[in-house]
Every structure is written in C-alpha cells, then in structure tokens.
C-alpha cells in the first residue's frame, strides 16, 4: 500500500514543557491506524500539528512523498486533511446543517439552506439513521449527537487523510457501530484514517495497525495481528499495569435500614422521563444502562436539584430532598459528577486549584474568607490522589490534556468524602491505566461505605463495575433491574433497546392465535 | 507533578510584569513624570486635588461596575441611578427630612433599581445590556419627573450640615480631598473582600462558567442579583459624595459615567466575558483615564477632541480585551 503521510522527527514544547520528542510516524492509504497512549502523552498535540493548529518546533511533514509546510488550518485542508477534534468545537447556536457546511458558508459561496439541509441529511443518514434533524440548533442536541455532527462535518470535505481524536468517547455501542461502518467505507475508498482512542475494542476491531505514544515518544508500531491488549497497555505505561475490573462486592445487604437513597415516581417536568423509582443500598455500585438520550443524566440532575421535576420524591437521610438547593444536597454528601466536563464541569480558564475547590468552598472557608493554604493543600492532595499530569497547580485547566481534565473534574467532586456519588461518565476520555485506577477508586469508596450510581455510554463498563443494573428504555421508563448472572450485555440490550416491547407484542399475537 | 523551583525569583518577576496591575502602575508613573516635566501646572496641589477629587465619584461607580462585570454582565444604568438616588435624597433634605433618613432613602431607591435589574435578568434570561439600558432611561426619567428638570440647590442645607458638606468638599489635613479618602477606603475594602471572601469566589466561578458553577452547587441566580444590588448601592453611595461636592443636585449628573466605568474596567483587565479581573486593576484603569483627561485639560485640548480621544481609548481597550481573550484561548487550546 502506498504511503499518504509521513512525519519525521516532530518535536514540540509548550514553554519549558516538552511534549513531543522527535516523533516519527507514517500512514498508508486505505488503512486505519490506531494511536494509543496515556493521557497527556501528546496524541492530540501531534494531530494539532498535522492540522495546522500548532506549529512544530522542529521536524518535517511529508504528504504523498512531498515535503509540505502547514502554517494554518487552511493549508492542511487544502492538502486533504480532515480532523475531528477531541473536544466538540461546533458553533452552539447555529443549525446542524450550517455547522456541517461552515467552511463553505465562510468562503462566501452562495448558500441555499434547503439544499444544504438535504446534503447534511445524506451525510448524517449512515451515522444516525435520521435521528438528527439538520435544522436543529446544535445546543439542543446531546453531546453524542454533537459528536456525530462533528464527524459529518469532517467527512463533508473531500479528504485523503481523516484524523479522529477519540470519536467514540461519548458514543454508545450502536452509534459507535454506525460510525465504524462509515469509517470502514472511507477506508475502502483509499482514505488513510488515524484513529486515536482509549478503547481496546475500537483498536482491535477497526484498526489495521496501531502505534503507541508514551511521554512524547513513539514507542511502538505494529500490525494489529501482532498486538495484544496487555502488550499495548504495558507499552503505554512503560510498566506492567493491571487493567482488570476490580472484584464486585461480596454481599450487599438489602434491609430497609440499608437504603441510602430512595427515589419514587420521579417525573420530569419537561417529560423526558416519568415514574422513575429505585433504591440505592449502602456500599453498592448501581449501574444505569440505557441508550443515549434515554434520560439517565436527566434523572440524576433531577435528583440533585439541577432540573425541574413535576412529581415524585427523593428520600435521602430520611428527608425528601426534592426542591432543595443543589448546594445543600452536595454539602449533605450526595454529589453528582456531570457528564459534560467542558460545559457543566470545569472552569476552563481557571487553574487547577480554583477548579478543585468549587464544590466544597465551605470546607476551606474560615469566617467568610478562603483559606488559601488549606485550598492549596486540598488541591495538592486531590491531584495526587487522581494522578493528574500537570506542570503545577497553577496550570490553566484548558491547557491540560482531555483525560487530565477529566481527572480534575473527579478531584473537584470528590474533594470531600461523599455518602452517595452519582458518576455520569466518570471515565470519558481517560486512558486505560487511569480508567482502571478510577474503577479501583470507585470500588474502594464503596468498601468505605459510600454508594455509587454509575452511568456510562460504554455498556462494558456498566457490566464490569455494577453490583446491580437498572435498565432504562428509550422512552425514559425503568424497565427492570439486572442482578448477578443477568448482568450481561444480551440481557441488558434486550431491555434497553426496546426489543422486549416487540417480544411482548409477539407473545400477545401468538396467544391470540 | 513536577513543580520546579529553579529561577523562582526570575519567574515571579516575569509573572508580576504580566499582571495588568503592574503594567498600569508603570504606565501611570511614567505619565506622571512626563506630565510634571512638560506642564508646570500638573504637579501643583490644586491640580492634583482636582484629579483625586474626580477619581472619587467615578471610582465608586467603577467598583460597582466591576462587580457586575465579574459575573459576565454590565450595568449601563449606574450614572442615571446615581442621579436618581441623589434627586430623592436631595428632595428629601429640601423637604426637611432628617439628613440621614433622606440619604438612606436615596441609597434604598438605588438598591431597589439594582434588585429589579437583577431579577429581570435572571428570571427572564434577558441580557444585562438591554435591561440596564432601559433602566438608564427610566432612572433619568424619574429624575426629570421629580425635579421638572430644574437643579436643586442645597447650599443652605450644606451649611447646616458640616459633616455632609465635609464628605464632598472637605480636605483631610487641608490637603487630601475627603471624598478621595472615602473612595480609597471603599476601594481597599472591596478589593480585599474580592480577593479573599468565599462569596466573591462564587462570583468569579459564576462569571467563568455559569453552567459549571450551577453544577458545583453555586446559587448563580442569587449571585447575579447580588452583584446588581451591590453595584446600585455603590451608585447610591456615589450620589452622596456628588451631592455634597456640588452642593446640590444637577439633573444631568452621571451622564456618560457608565462609559467611563466600563472602559476603566476593561483597561484594567476586567474581562467583558466575566470571571476575570480585580478591583485594583479596574481602578488603576480609571486613574489612567482620569490622567489622560487631566492632561488634555492642561494642554487645553478642545472639548470635542477630548470626547473623540476618550472613546477611541475605550474602543482600543475593548479590542485589546477581545484580542487577549483570543490569544489566551489559542495558546491553551
Ligand atoms: N497549549 C498548551 N499549553 C501548555 N501545555 C499544553 C498545551 N497543550 C497541551 N499541553 C500539554 O501537552 C501534553 C500533551 O497533551 P495532549 O493533549 O497532546 O495529550 P493527549 O495525548 O491527547 O492526552 P488525552 O488522551 O488526555 O487527550 C499535556 O501534558 C498537556 O498538559
Ligand atoms: Mg487528546
């Protein structure tokens, strides 16, 4: 296969922090080339250099056997490079179609909204089967759909090289499958695809070759048939790492006095879900499975007072907390880790220290004033616990790598030991090793008597971590719970994908006959 | 984490120079030196007293403006609200109300206006710009309605109330204008409060990312209403100084004050997007503007040129703000 791109000895520093050390890399036409590496290894930085967002300090980029200089994004686009960035960078208050054809609009070529919408529909069709309306305002879409719009936008240009930076981190199984189908189609057409991901299944099922970046050095490149999960993990970390899910709880006692949170008939004022009821017991991890858009996040926001409910009750510590202020609920030990770190989670333009103290200000306040020493001590403790890779507590969060931002978010929410913690996508964008660390942390919390509610777009994570799983169908109804042996993907998918409904209908039809 | 302490001192110095406050202090110092050499009137006691005196009222208004800007808003009504507070207090004094009561009524009226702005902005999700623009007109309208457009003279009452008169026209030790001292005390107090208090930290969080602040359990609506009220109370306090300084109420008092305050804040590094800036920075920005104004007066620049130059500086400051924000985003993305 011919080579479409070759990087030679690319180096890059930010100030005195060198993040890439003479990286070599090559990409062939018609291959999907996975890149893996720990958070902060330099993957996104390398791709930003290829795409002209950043300039390398030294090194060369060769495209189709020719040496090229890429000064800005437009140069890269002219060379046929398309890039789906890790963080969603859509224009939030424009329509889907406008976003997809943004470059066309900005070039001032006359635009016809109807025609654009039609083309957008065609681009989106294979990705989401009509679930996204081209006229919808981007802001109103859940992140997963926004991610799909990003992808449609990237492939709307004629590209020769497609770079995907963690495209599946906010997609669920079926959406990821749709994406993979599209990518395989592009590959058939001879496009070279660079696929950055932390998910092993993505690498082994989709990629032809895989490279590992560790601390800014390219440490290995191999054909996928020569790779093994453990081998890749060890390459990434530079040491042996344990990535198995921690053991589940041996026994969860389910007497009435062990209930720490009881939700009864919770109903959303905007109608996203209704009559949600469940109990959470002391020391368990309760997973919530559902397809994207099922309304799991909305339930959690309802419980913590961040969303308006029209009925039901949430009993915590013997009181109905529905209608209470979020600050009081958090202070009382029931906290929520929000799903979208960029919008709901972090103060991107503030430093790590400020971010860590936002939830529990009272804890570091003395007579109305913030105790800076205590604040620093807390930030340092939490960053060490979460193993955040940074140049110091004063680093602006925006300049951290995606995974390390996620760790700061965890640090912020766990700065005080909670009683119940609701984790909405706790490991989004986190590398394999760190993910295992977070899993161990969650387990450890439950051993200390904390109860955890876990939402994840990765069904495997829910299955691997949960002691019990609540299943929510696409209309926002809880349709059952799985325990023990039943916690497997067939059983859960059967319920959350609405398949059970049709089964019941079939049953009825049969009985009728 | 690899915190290195090498070259700590050098880096600290570099960081200090990056701070907007430091560069402003430097520029202001240079301006003072140049002015005192090029113009014989600059370094005279009376000129310096005028400069300090004119910082006082605008300074107190600027403090309020900064507070609102930290949450990502702005308040265009401060000048009119100040005038309204003054008209109410002045009318009260004229009608024979006890002075303290009249002054409190003025501040209260201002506070109510701020409360209304805050409630409308948070409940109806309207922009500060449009709501405060309306309040600017409404407050001024109230002034005209109360005074029929005629100035209220309080010269006689001021004679009876030496304390009130001293606030605006007195000199501490015969040298420093009392109104400047009042301002300075307010400035230092709010600056310390802004840097240290956990309430103000919440203000910064709200301005930096309102949604994330909400998800951190911060009552962002309450914070936003709070700063609007605080800003208007500052306008109320400024109105007392103004009234005492000019021995009465003029119906056009505070016109254009919102522009001065806004530009001072922006020059001083307070971001229009919220979440960034300090009281000290914004007030240094004001000092810079006042010095330029003074220089133009000393060199007898004609009035229309003065306005033109003033607004050009504002424009430059706003552009600078946007550019800096962009550069920062680019650097850190
Ligand atoms: N603009 C910047 N200024 C300073 N440091 C930066 C900047 N951008 C990135 N870095 C640093 O460079 C390192 C590499 O970041 P990069 O985003 O490339 O990591 P990554 O491999 O993509 O990680 P992740 O898997 O978490 O996305 C990080 O340590 C990060 O803090
Ligand atoms: Mg990255």
């Amino acid at each position: 296969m011919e080579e479409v791109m070759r990087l030679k000895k690319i180096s890059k520093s930010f100030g005195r922090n060198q993040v890439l050390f003479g990286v070599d890399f090559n990409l062939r036409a018609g291959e999907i080339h996975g890149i893996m590496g720990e958070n902060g290894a330099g993957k996104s930085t390398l791709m930003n250099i290829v795409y002209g967002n950043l300039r390398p300090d030294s090194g060369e980029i060769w495209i189709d056997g020719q040496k090229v200089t890429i000064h800005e994004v437009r140069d890269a686009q002219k060379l046929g490079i398309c890039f789906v960035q890790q963080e969603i960078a859509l224009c939030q208050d424009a329509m889907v179609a406008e976003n997809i054809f943004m470059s066309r609009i900005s070039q001032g070529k006359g635009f016809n909204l109807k025609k654009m919408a039609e083309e957008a529909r065609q681009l989106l069709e294979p990705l989401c089967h009509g679930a996204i309306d081209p006229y919808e305002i981007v802001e109103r879409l859940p992140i997963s759909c926004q991610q799909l719009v990003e992808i449609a936008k990237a492939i709307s240009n004629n590209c020769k090289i497609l770079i995907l930076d963690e495209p599946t981190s906010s997609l669920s199984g079926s959406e990821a499958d749709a994406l993979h189908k599209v990518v395989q189609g592009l590959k058939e057409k001879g496009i070279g695809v660079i696929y950055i991901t932390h998910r092993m299944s993505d690498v082994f099922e989709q990629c032809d070759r895989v490279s590992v970046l560790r601390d800014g050095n390219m440490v290995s490149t191999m054909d996928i048939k020569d790779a093994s999960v453990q081998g890749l993990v060890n390459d990434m970390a530079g040491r042996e790492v344990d990535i198995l899910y921690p053991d589940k709880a041996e026994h969860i006692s389910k007497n009435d006095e062990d209930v720490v949170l009881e939700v009864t008939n919770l109903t959303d004022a905007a109608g996203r879900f209704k009559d949600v009821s469940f109990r959470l017991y002391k020391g368990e991890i309760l997973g919530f499975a559902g397809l994207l858009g099922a309304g799991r996040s909305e339930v959690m926001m309802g419980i913590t007072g961040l969303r308006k409910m029209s009925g039901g009750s949430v009993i915590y510590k013997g009181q109905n907390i529905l209608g209470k202020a979020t600050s009081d609920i958090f202070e009382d030990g029931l906290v929520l880790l929000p799903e979208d770190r960029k919008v709901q989670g972090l103060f991107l333009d503030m430093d790590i220290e400020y971010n860590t103290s936002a939830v529990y200000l009272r804890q570091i306040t003395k007579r109305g004033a913030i105790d800076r020493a205590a604040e620093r001590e807390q930030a340092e403790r939490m960053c060490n616990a979460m193993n955040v890779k940074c140049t110091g507590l004063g680093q602006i969060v925006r300049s951290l790598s995606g995974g390390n931002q996620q760790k700061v978010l965890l640090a912020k929410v766990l700065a005080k030991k909670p009683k119940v913690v609701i984790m909405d996508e706790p490991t989004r964008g986190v590398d394999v090793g760190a993910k295992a660390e977070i899993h161990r942390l969650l387990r450890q919390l439950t051993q200390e008597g904390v109860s955890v509610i876990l939402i994840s777009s990765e069904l495997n994570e829910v299955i691997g971590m949960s002691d019990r799983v609540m299943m929510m169908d696409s209309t926002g109804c809880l349709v059952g719970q799985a325990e023990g042996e039943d916690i497997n993907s067939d059983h859960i998918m059967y319920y959350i994908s609405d398949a059970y409904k049709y089964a019941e209908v079939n049953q009825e039809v049969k009985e009728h006959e | 984490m690899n915190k290195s302490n090498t070259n700590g001192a050098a880096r600290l110095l570099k960081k200090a120079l990056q701070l907007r406050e430091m560069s402003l202090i430097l520029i202001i110092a240079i301006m003072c030196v140049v002015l005192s050499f090029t113009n014989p009137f600059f370094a005279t006691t009376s000129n310096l007293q005028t400069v300090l005196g004119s910082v006082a009222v605008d300074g107190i208004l600027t403090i309020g403006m900064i507070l609102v800007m930290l949450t990502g808003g702005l308040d265009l009504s401060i000048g009119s609200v100040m005038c309204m507070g003054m008209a109410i207090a002045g009318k009260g004094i004229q009608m024979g109300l006890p002075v303290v009561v009249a002054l409190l009524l003025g501040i209260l009226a201002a506070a109510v206006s701020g409360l209304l702005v805050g409630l409308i902005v948070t409940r109806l999700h309207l922009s500060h710009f449009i709501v405060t623009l309306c309040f600017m007109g409404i407050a001024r309208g109230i002034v005209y309605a109360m005074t029929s457009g005629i100035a209220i003279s309080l010269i006689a009452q001021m004679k009876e109330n030496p304390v009130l008169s001293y606030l605006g026209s007195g000199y501490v030790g015969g040298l420093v204008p009392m109104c400047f001292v009042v301002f300075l005390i307010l400035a230092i107090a709010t600056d310390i409060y802004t840097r240290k208090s956990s309430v103000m930290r919440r203000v910064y969080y709200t301005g930096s990312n309102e949604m994330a602040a909400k998800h951190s359990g911060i009552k962002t609506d309450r914070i936003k209403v709070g700063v609007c009220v605080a800003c208007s109370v500052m306008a109320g306090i400024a109105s007392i100084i103004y009234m005492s300084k000019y021995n009465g109420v003029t119906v056009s008092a505070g016109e254009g004050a919102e522009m001065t305050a806004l530009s001072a804040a922006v020059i001083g590094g307070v971001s229009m997007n919220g979440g960034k800036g300090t009281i000290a920075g914004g007030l240094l920005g004001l000092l810079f503007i006042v010095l330029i104004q003074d220089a133009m007066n000393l060199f007898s620049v004609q009035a229309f040129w003065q306005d033109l130059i003033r607004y050009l500086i504002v424009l430059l400051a706003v552009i600078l703000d946007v550019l800096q924000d962009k550069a920062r985003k680019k650097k850190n993305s």
Side-chain angles (χ1 to χ4, degrees):
Chain A
M1 267 185 289
E2 69 180 300
E3 188 177 276
V4 283
M5 183 172 81
R6 177 174 282 273
L7 305 179
K8 292 184 183 170
K9 299 257 164 294
I10 302 276
S11 293
K12 174 78 189 170
S13 315
F14 293 104
R16 282 200 268 126
N17 178 18
Q18 182 160 4
V19 293
L20 294 176
F21 298 84
V23 172
D24 289 319
F25 177 79
N26 70 335
L27 177 71
R28 298 174 191 150
E31 78 162 341
I32 302 180
H33 193 141
I35 298 185
M36 301 197 81
E38 290 192 331
N39 296 129
K43 305 176 296 292
S44 301
T45 304
L46 185 65
M47 294 307 127
N48 275 314
I49 287 173
V50 172
Y51 196 57
N53 277 328
L54 293 172
R55 296 265 201 100
D57 298 338
S58 64
E60 297 171 359
I61 302 175
W62 292 65
I63 304 251
D64 288 334
Q66 302 232 315
K67 189 180 163 190
V68 296
T69 38
I70 298 176
H71 288 306
E72 49 173 22
V73 174
R74 208 172 315 162
D75 299 337
Q77 285 172 341
K78 274 194 201 125
L79 289 164
I81 301 172
C82 298
F83 187 19
V84 176
Q85 308 208 22
Q86 185 171 8
E87 303 293 343
I88 286 160
L90 296 170
C91 189
Q92 288 286 323
D93 34 40
M95 284 179 220
V96 169
E98 288 171 328
N99 264 290
I100 292 180
F101 296 110
M102 193 64 80
S103 60
R104 204 186 290 178
I105 295 172
S106 66
Q107 278 163 19
K109 295 179 187 157
F111 80 92
N112 172 341
L113 190 58
K114 224 171 169 180
K115 214 175 113 222
M116 265 184 352
E118 192 42 49
E119 281 179 53
R121 203 187 301 281
Q122 279 169 13
L123 277 167
L124 285 165
E125 176 57 34
L127 287 168
C128 67
H129 309 294
I132 302 174
D133 178 3
Y135 290 105
E136 183 68 272
I137 301 293
V138 166
E139 196 178 37
R140 301 213 192 102
L141 294 171
I143 331 184
S144 58
C145 295
Q146 295 191 13
Q147 182 74 56
L148 295 175
V149 173
E150 277 282 11
I151 292 162
K153 177 178 172 182
I155 57 182
S156 74
N157 298 314
N158 267 329
C159 59
K160 256 187 349 206
I161 296 168
L162 175 63
I163 305 170
L164 301 166
D165 195 351
E166 299 190 34
T168 49
S169 67
S170 50
L171 300 183
S172 74
S174 56
E175 289 154 322
D177 289 346
L179 166 69
H180 289 147
K181 234 179 253 161
V182 172
V183 173
Q184 291 292 347
L186 294 171
K187 168 189 158 177
E188 309 279 270
K189 285 198 222 156
I191 291 171
V193 181
I194 297 176
Y195 192 146
I196 298 177
T197 184
H198 291 299
R199 290 191 186 178
M200 284 296 171
S201 59
D202 289 346
V203 173
F204 283 94
E205 286 160 24
Q206 307 301 327
C207 298
D208 303 299
R209 285 196 298 164
V210 56
S211 294
V212 174
L213 199 60
R214 186 207 310 153
D215 292 333
N217 294 291
M218 207 45 112
V219 288
S220 62
T221 296
M222 59 188 112
D223 281 340
I224 204 67
K225 56 179 196 299
D226 304 325
S228 70
V229 172
Q230 194 62 49
L232 286 175
V233 171
N234 293 348
D235 274 354
M236 278 189 258
R239 62 193 155 84
E240 289 280 327
V241 174
D242 177 13
I243 51 161
L244 294 176
Y245 286 111
D247 291 337
K248 298 198 175 182
E250 275 169 15
H251 174 72
I252 306 279
S253 56
K254 294 189 179 134
N255 304 319
D256 280 350
E257 68 268 19
D258 296 314
V259 177
V260 285
L261 182 74
E262 178 156 22
V263 176
T264 322
N265 292 333
L266 193 66
T267 303
D268 184 33
R272 293 278 280 120
F273 58 87
K274 58 180 184 298
D275 291 335
V276 167
S277 305
F278 65 91
R279 286 175 152 194
L280 177 68
Y281 296 99
K282 189 164 185 224
E284 77 168 336
I285 296 184
L286 176 63
F288 265 71
L291 296 182
L292 275 160
R296 294 168 296 170
S297 303
E298 284 80 358
V299 171
M300 301 311 153
M301 284 167 68
I303 292 173
T304 47
L306 289 160
R307 197 181 160 93
K308 217 169 158 200
M309 297 295 109
S310 63
S313 69
V314 180
I315 307 293
Y316 173 66
K317 286 190 177 170
Q319 275 183 44
N320 186 0
I321 56 168
L322 212 58
K324 268 194 164 187
T326 306
S327 53
D328 297 333
I329 297 174
F330 283 7
E331 201 62 43
D332 228 10
L334 168 61
V335 291
L336 169 69
L337 180 107
E339 87 180 302
D340 185 342
R341 64 167 170 263
K342 208 172 154 191
V343 177
Q344 304 162 327
L346 294 170
F347 304 97
L348 289 175
D349 292 320
M350 291 183 158
D351 61 16
I352 298 176
E353 198 173 312
Y354 271 48
N355 269 281
T356 322
S357 29
V359 178
Y360 304 107
L361 271 178
R362 274 182 229 177
Q363 177 165 272
I364 50 163
T365 303
K366 269 196 209 128
R367 273 180 271 114
I370 291 193
D371 180 349
R372 290 305 299 264
E375 178 173 36
R376 184 151 317 137
E377 190 273 320
Q378 166 175 301
E380 202 151 329
R381 180 168 49 84
M382 290 315 294
C383 283
N384 284 333
M386 297 297 150
N387 219 339
V388 177
K389 192 178 171 197
C390 59
T391 54
L393 294 175
Q395 188 171 358
I396 300 296
V397 168
R398 191 187 290 282
S399 72
L400 289 174
S401 78
N404 281 304
Q405 290 182 3
Q406 186 68 27
K407 292 185 195 170
V408 172
L409 182 57
L410 277 158
K412 168 182 144 181
V413 171
L414 296 176
K416 182 167 130 189
K417 199 175 151 201
K419 254 179 80 83
V420 175
V421 49
I422 304 174
M423 297 252 157
D424 199 346
E425 306 280 358
T427 59
R428 162 173 296 159
V430 167
D431 69 52
V432 194
K435 193 167 174 175
E437 268 170 45
I438 292 173
H439 289 155
R440 278 196 290 274
L441 177 88
L442 290 184
R443 207 20 104 186
Q444 194 193 330
L445 282 172
T446 62
Q447 280 157 3
E448 293 164 11
V450 177
S451 309
V452 177
I453 293 178
L454 174 71
I455 298 181
S456 171
S457 55
E458 228 180 317
L459 191 53
N460 279 333
E461 186 171 37
V462 175
I463 292 171
M465 287 300 298
S466 309
D467 299 312
R468 202 154 56 94
V469 176
M470 302 300 303
M471 297 176 290
M472 189 174 233
D473 71 4
S474 63
T475 58
C477 291
L478 281 184
V479 288
Q481 59 168 307
E483 263 177 292
E485 294 290 295
D486 281 345
I487 303 184
N488 62 61
S489 63
D490 289 343
H491 181 81
I492 292 175
M493 277 311 284
Y494 178 70
Y495 283 98
I496 64 177
S497 64
D498 296 3
Y500 76 99
K501 284 184 187 162
Y502 307 113
E504 274 166 18
V505 172
N506 286 341
Q507 197 76 35
E508 274 171 28
V509 173
K510 264 187 209 142
E511 277 168 16
H512 221 76
E513 286 165 353
Chain B
M1 267 180 296
N2 44 350
K3 264 200 290 181
S4 66
N5 282 331
T6 47
N7 302 341
R11 252 205 302 172
L12 215 66
L13 190 73
K14 203 173 151 199
K15 207 165 168 191
L17 280 178
Q18 276 169 357
L19 273 180
R20 187 71 73 95
E21 283 93 333
M22 278 301 162
S23 30
L24 268 174
I25 288 178
L26 212 66
I27 292 174
I28 289 171
I30 292 172
M31 276 172 75
C32 286
V33 171
V34 171
L35 280 175
S36 54
F37 276 109
T38 51
N39 195 299
F41 298 106
F42 176 74
T44 57
T45 319
S46 74
N47 181 54
L48 291 180
Q49 280 175 344
T50 319
V51 170
L52 294 187
S54 60
V55 166
V57 170
D58 281 335
I60 297 174
L61 291 174
T62 306
I63 292 174
M65 183 67 109
I66 297 170
L67 293 179
V68 181
M69 285 175 73
L70 287 179
T71 62
L74 89 178
D75 190 341
L76 297 177
S77 68
I78 46 175
S80 303
V81 168
M82 175 184 85
C83 192
M84 179 182 78
M86 188 158 53
I88 289 170
K91 256 275 166 338
I93 294 176
Q94 206 180 28
M95 282 171 8
L97 279 182
V99 173
V100 177
V101 175
L103 296 182
L104 284 179
L105 271 181
I107 295 182
L108 188 69
V112 168
S113 141
L115 182 68
L116 287 176
V117 168
L119 288 176
I120 294 175
V121 165
T122 51
R123 293 291 146 84
L124 303 179
H125 302 285
L126 291 172
S127 74
H128 282 85
F129 177 83
I130 199 73
V131 176
T132 58
L133 189 67
C134 293
F135 270 75
M136 175 169 148
I138 293 169
R140 187 70 66 187
I142 292 176
V143 172
Y144 276 92
M146 284 180 60
T147 61
S148 323
I150 300 161
I152 303 174
S153 166
L154 296 173
I155 294 175
Q157 286 89 337
M158 285 295 166
K159 284 224 176 76
E160 287 165 25
N161 278 290
V163 178
L164 178 59
S165 169
Y166 186 72
L167 269 183
S169 347
Y171 290 91
V172 177
L175 208 61
V176 186
M178 182 58 195
C179 57
F180 182 75
V181 174
V182 172
F183 154 72
L184 202 62
I185 292 170
L186 266 176
I188 292 173
T190 49
D191 187 66
I192 292 177
Y193 188 67
T194 309
R195 286 173 203 275
K196 302 253 152 105
S197 75
S198 97
V199 173
M200 284 306 292
R201 178 63 77 80
R202 293 191 173 91
V203 169
Y204 279 97
Y205 285 135
T206 304
S208 180
N209 181 348
E210 191 177 341
M211 186 73 114
K214 266 199 189 116
H215 276 82
S216 306
I218 292 168
K219 293 170 181 147
T220 53
D221 280 354
R222 213 181 272 185
I223 295 280
K224 285 165 80 177
V225 174
V227 290
C228 286
V229 173
C231 174
S232 297
V233 167
M234 286 294 165
I237 295 175
S239 78
I240 300 176
I241 305 279
Y242 193 103
M243 187 163 70
S244 147
K245 200 170 161 192
Y246 295 100
N247 291 320
V249 182
T250 43
V251 288
S252 63
E255 268 176 7
E258 64 284 342
M259 279 320 266
T260 310
L262 188 69
S263 40
V266 172
I267 291 174
V270 182
S271 163
M272 306 247 282
N273 295 322
K276 204 158 276 157
T278 60
I279 301 278
L283 292 178
L284 285 168
L286 179 68
L287 195 56
F288 172 77
I289 293 183
V290 169
L291 277 179
I292 292 219
Q293 194 88 33
D294 186 50
M296 293 194 293
N297 283 335
L298 288 177
F299 289 106
S300 342
V301 177
Q302 276 164 316
F304 61 91
W305 280 115
Q306 289 203 9
D307 268 0
L308 196 113
I309 289 170
R310 212 156 60 104
Y311 282 98
L312 271 180
I313 290 175
V314 176
L315 185 66
L316 279 178
V318 177
I319 292 175
L320 192 74
D321 181 51
V322 174
L323 286 184
Q324 271 188 340
D325 218 52
K326 245 190 180 160
R328 200 172 41 231
K329 290 251 164 73
K330 185 149 186 182
K331 201 177 124 226
N332 291 333
S333 72

